Amino acid sequence: HGTVANTTAIGSVTTTAGSAYVDDNNVRLVNNTIIFTAHRQETGRELWRTDGTPVGTYALPEITPGPANGVTQVLGATN
């Protein structure tokens, strides 16, 4: 379990184009990589991934290009 003292930001989904947020109910661990959805004004809700490092945290290629949501449902369970 993490602590506030040992928690640091590793990246940001926010851009200069407007507001952004991470969907906290859409976070899954897959093979030591966290897959999550984030919504940005210019891309809609899309998949992101992180390995816990700044360089390993980025948006995956857009499922639906443009501002429409590429991910419209909660991510399924993983093993």
Side-chain angles (χ1 to χ4, degrees):
H1 296 122
T3 65
V4 173
N6 291 322
T7 301
T8 60
I10 57 171
S12 176
V13 298
T14 305
T15 64
T16 57
S19 65
Y21 60 89
V22 172
D23 299 312
D24 61 356
N25 64 335
N26 255 357
V27 178
R28 300 291 182 268
L29 179 62
V30 180
N31 297 328
N32 295 320
T33 300
I34 295 173
I35 304 295
F36 62 97
T37 59
H39 184 277
R40 294 192 311 189
Q41 185 175 352
E42 68 273 20
T43 62
R45 183 181 296 121
E46 297 289 345
L47 291 173
W48 284 62
R49 54 100 61 206
T50 185
D51 62 4
T53 67
V55 89
T57 303
Y58 53 86
L60 297 173
E62 282 190 77
I63 296 169
T64 303
N69 291 333
V71 179
T72 58
Q73 297 181 8
V74 173
L75 298 175
T78 60
N79 295 349

